[in-house]
Amino acid sequence: PKNDLGDCWHWSELNLATEVTFYGKVFRIVNCDQWTAEYLRSKGIELNQPEHVPSDPYAQAHAPIDHTFTTPSTFDKLKQFLQLDRHVLRFFCIWDDRDSMFGEVRRYILHYFLVDDTVEIREVHEPNDGRDPFPVLLRRQRLQKLHNDVPSDFPSITLEVSDKEVKAWYTPMDFALGKTLNIMGRKFLIYDMDKYTEEFYSVNFGVSEFASVDVTQPSPKPVKAALPPYNGYGSLEDSLQSCLTLVPQPPKKDFIKMMENDGKILRFLAIL
């Protein structure tokens, strides 16, 4: 039965991606076999797009467990800790943000800890740079190459990213002089490294040339302030003091001129 009026379902009323009610239970038609699809098309019925059957959480939870065995890695973390503890690669890099509004070139120090392959980025402060002395830009952590590898539904607020979510991590082979790294959406240019880092790359990777990149910026030329014209108030020396300092001071007297010309008087004769 189709309804309470005694009507019955007809095959022409059935279609894909539709819901039908049989005895108070709602069923959704997701697909049909090839013969049924050809028959309905021959009768002039346009079929909707087929749908996939949603997975059953209960069936997934009680699915047979795959007892495959994964061979553990031969990498010895204890050996890495004993040999490389307190061994840190030190790179000097810059972040050029001048393309954005109020951007500038800022210097950073990148530390790569060989004991656990973690990375830390610290900001280099200069005297009177106008910034708060906040030292760490990126706390010590494993750094992924592509930050888009993590799925969008990953709960990054409560869980940390592991090897299952990231395909590749940064290793010492990814760092080199003159190379630009994309770290958290920022492009860092490595322009120099310390002596220990040079020895490490020379022994382990056979690198012999370590040419640092010149990143010094030319200092801007000092702007000479032009004095405004005399406004007629007071003497010229008094008006000039308001242009030289924020709080005008009395003009200083020329004591050398006073000592040289003391007692000297110019006398003129005139006729009216």
Side-chain angles (χ1 to χ4, degrees):
K2 181 179 180 181
N3 49 35
D4 296 338
L5 301 179
D7 299 334
C8 296
W9 286 96
H10 191 261
W11 58 266
S12 60
E13 299 175 350
L14 304 178
N15 203 333
L16 303 182
T18 58
E19 294 181 352
V20 293
T21 304
F22 298 151
Y23 297 102
K25 295 183 179 180
V26 179
F27 298 88
R28 185 172 181 84
I29 303 175
V30 296
N31 206 344
C32 63
D33 59 3
Q34 184 178 2
W35 187 90
T36 304
E38 293 177 356
Y39 178 79
L40 293 177
R41 291 192 185 96
S42 64
K43 298 300 181 179
I45 299 176
E46 184 178 356
L47 294 178
N48 300 328
Q49 293 295 331
E51 297 178 350
H52 295 284
V53 180
S55 57
D56 186 7
Y58 180 84
Q60 291 182 351
H62 293 77
I65 302 175
D66 187 9
H67 296 280
T68 57
F69 180 75
T70 303
T71 304
S73 175
T74 58
F75 182 76
D76 191 356
K77 291 186 178 181
L78 179 60
K79 181 180 179 181
Q80 181 186 15
F81 173 77
L82 296 176
Q83 293 183 352
L84 301 178
D85 187 26
R86 299 185 182 182
H87 289 227
V88 182
L89 304 180
R90 190 181 189 188
F91 302 93
F92 302 93
C93 54
I94 61 171
W95 172 33
D96 191 355
D97 192 36
R98 290 177 294 181
D99 294 337
S100 60
M101 184 179 294
F102 308 114
E104 59 182 352
V105 178
R106 302 174 63 178
R107 296 176 182 266
Y108 295 90
I109 297 178
L110 189 147
H111 291 152
Y112 188 93
F113 298 87
L114 297 174
V115 65
D116 54 358
D117 298 323
T118 55
V119 177
E120 178 191 52
I121 301 179
R122 305 181 69 90
E123 186 172 359
V124 178
H125 290 279
E126 298 179 357
N128 198 22
D129 58 357
R131 298 187 177 276
D132 293 334
F134 192 79
V136 179
L137 176 68
L138 180 68
R139 65 177 178 86
R140 182 175 174 180
Q141 57 182 300
R142 294 195 68 185
L143 192 60
Q144 51 188 350
K145 285 186 178 181
L146 300 177
H147 61 279
N148 292 331
D149 287 345
V150 181
S152 59
D153 57 348
F154 181 79
S156 58
I157 298 179
T158 57
L159 299 178
E160 294 185 356
V161 179
S162 62
D163 295 338
K164 296 181 180 180
E165 289 79 22
V166 181
K167 299 178 181 178
W169 302 90
Y170 272 105
T171 60
M173 294 184 294
D174 300 318
F175 300 93
L177 288 177
K179 188 175 181 180
T180 302
L181 305 177
N182 189 354
I183 301 176
M184 302 297 181
R186 296 177 174 89
K187 295 183 179 180
F188 289 87
L189 172 64
I190 300 176
Y191 67 89
D192 202 359
M193 62 180 65
D194 60 359
K195 294 298 181 182
Y196 173 76
T197 306
E198 293 180 359
E199 295 177 359
F200 177 83
Y201 277 87
S202 178
V203 174
N204 294 276
F205 300 104
V207 182
S208 58
E209 296 182 359
F210 300 95
S212 59
V213 181
D214 186 13
V215 294
T216 56
Q217 301 292 329
S219 58
K221 296 181 180 180
V223 179
K224 186 177 180 181
L227 297 177
Y230 177 57
N231 54 11
Y233 292 95
S235 63
L236 179 61
E237 292 78 5
D238 291 336
S239 300
L240 182 61
Q241 294 301 318
S242 62
C243 301
L244 300 179
T245 58
L246 182 62
V247 179
Q249 301 293 332
K252 296 181 179 181
K253 297 181 180 180
D254 192 351
F255 292 98
I256 298 178
K257 182 179 180 180
M258 293 175 60
M259 294 176 62
E260 291 180 351
N261 299 321
D262 186 23
K264 295 180 181 180
I265 301 175
L266 300 180
R267 180 177 296 176
F268 300 93
L269 296 178
I271 297 175
L272 180 58

